[in-house]
């Protein structure tokens, strides 16, 4: 079975600093990759996705993630974070019609 | 399009009772999945329904069950509630692509508290 690992449970960072949230998955067999964001007391919202094509995918609010097949990784990055980016971020893999989620990374942006 | 809706948003039940949660997917989506989210266990997959059939199932006891109707709306039921069932229950719907479902769209969740 597929597994998704988010090594960092919490990431504190100052506003306007860069950030990277790490995600690794267990199988290099054809997968679809996603990042979701969850704000307090809300459901998960899709942030960005990789289905095929360019390995670098971007969201509308400045996040980007790069699919690295050889390292089975899909790390999420943002060059300059805002207070409003404070939330929990989940990496997910779709493999043979099943979704697998990581344990989540809480991003805490400090002023 | 309207998003995924879940009712009720909040629920308080007593141990031993049963509960039914409802989920209406995005129009046109035929796949509905359910997840349990707790601070300690994170997001755990319960089951997925597609065209009224359970297609995938997670590792939860038989007290957790679900069904899907012909209009793709789904319900999940938890019988003989335990304190440990207190959680945020999330429903997600997705489309079917040529190679399977793509992204999932999540509802706001139902916060269940068992006392």
């Amino acid at each position: 079975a597929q597994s998704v690992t988010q090594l960092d449970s919490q990431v504190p960072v100052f506003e306007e600093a860069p950030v990277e949230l790490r995600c690794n998955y267990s199988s290099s067999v054809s997968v679809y990759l996603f990042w979701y964001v969850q704000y307090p007391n809300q459901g998960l919202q899709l942030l960005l996705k990789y289905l095929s094509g360019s390995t670098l995918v971007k969201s509308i609010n400045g996040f980007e993630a790069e699919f690295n097949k050889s390292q089975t990784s899909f790390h999420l990055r943002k060059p300059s974070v805002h207070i409003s980016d404070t939330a929990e971020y989940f990496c997910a893999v779709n493999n043979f019609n099943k979704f697998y989620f990581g344990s989540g990374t809480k991003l805490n942006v400090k002023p | 399009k309207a998003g995924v809706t879940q009712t009720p948003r909040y629920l308080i039940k007593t141990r031993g009772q049963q509960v039914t949660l409802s989920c209406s997917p995005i129009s046109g989506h035929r796949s509905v999945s359910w997840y349990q989210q707790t601070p300690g266990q994170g997001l755990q997959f319960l089951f997925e329904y597609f065209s009224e059939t359970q297609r995938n199932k997670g590792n939860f006891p038989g007290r957790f069950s679900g069904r899907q109707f012909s209009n793709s709306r789904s319900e999940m039921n938890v019988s003989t509630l335990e304190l440990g069932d207190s959680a945020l229950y999330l429903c997600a719907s997705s489309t079917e692509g040529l190679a399977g479902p793509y992204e999932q769209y999540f509802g706001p969740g139902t916060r269940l508290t068992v006392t």
Side-chain angles (χ1 to χ4, degrees):
Chain A
Q2 181 71 250
S3 69
V4 181
T5 303
Q6 291 181 249
L7 285 173
D8 306 305
S9 60
Q10 297 195 45
V11 172
V13 63
F14 286 105
E15 192 174 20
E16 297 183 6
V19 70
E20 178 180 82
L21 307 185
R22 296 179 291 169
C23 173
N24 287 88
Y25 57 96
S26 60
S27 172
S28 61
V29 176
S30 179
V31 294
Y32 304 107
L33 299 160
F34 309 87
W35 275 100
Y36 285 85
V37 58
Q38 185 178 33
Y39 298 102
N41 299 314
Q42 295 186 25
L44 277 67
Q45 301 172 28
L46 180 67
L47 190 59
L48 45 74
K49 62 186 177 184
Y50 170 77
L51 302 181
S52 64
S54 172
T55 57
L56 183 65
V57 291
K58 299 184 179 184
S59 73
I60 59 173
N61 58 352
F63 282 94
E64 64 180 35
E66 186 158 21
F67 168 54
N68 188 318
K69 187 174 181 178
S70 62
Q71 297 185 7
T72 59
S73 69
F74 191 56
H75 301 331
L76 181 70
R77 301 183 183 94
K78 189 170 185 179
S80 177
V81 294
H82 302 290
I83 296 287
S84 59
D85 293 325
T86 294
E88 189 161 16
Y89 293 79
F90 292 88
C91 180
V93 168
N94 180 299
N95 184 218
F96 297 114
N97 292 340
K98 291 186 179 181
F99 279 91
Y100 302 85
F101 283 83
S103 53
T105 297
K106 291 184 178 177
L107 176 63
N108 184 15
V109 182
K110 303 176 182 180
Chain B
K1 280 184 178 179
V4 178
T5 57
Q6 292 186 245
T7 56
R9 291 292 312 277
Y10 301 92
L11 206 49
I12 300 175
K13 289 286 188 179
T14 305
R15 271 182 303 175
Q17 288 186 314
Q18 75 164 15
V19 66
T20 299
L21 311 182
S22 181
C23 171
S24 292
I26 291 172
S27 177
H29 288 192
R30 293 192 294 168
S31 170
V32 174
S33 298
W34 288 90
Y35 296 86
Q36 181 195 66
Q37 186 179 26
T38 58
Q41 300 295 321
L43 202 65
Q44 293 188 287
F45 172 71
L46 280 155
F47 29 66
E48 183 220 358
Y49 285 86
F50 179 79
S51 292
E52 302 180 64
T53 300
Q54 188 180 85
R55 186 161 68 173
N56 289 305
K57 189 177 188 302
N59 297 321
F60 276 79
R63 299 186 297 107
F64 293 82
S65 63
R67 60 177 175 169
Q68 186 180 34
F69 301 96
S70 58
N71 61 357
S72 293
R73 189 177 70 85
S74 177
E75 290 181 346
M76 67 163 279
N77 184 277
V78 188
S79 62
T80 319
L81 283 166
E82 301 177 359
L83 294 178
D85 297 333
S86 295
L88 180 67
Y89 290 87
L90 294 166
C91 165
S93 73
S94 65
T95 61
E96 282 285 299
L98 290 175
Y102 291 159
E103 66 264 32
Q104 292 191 317
Y105 295 84
F106 283 80
T110 294
R111 173 74 63 184
L112 172 65
T113 302
V114 182
T115 62

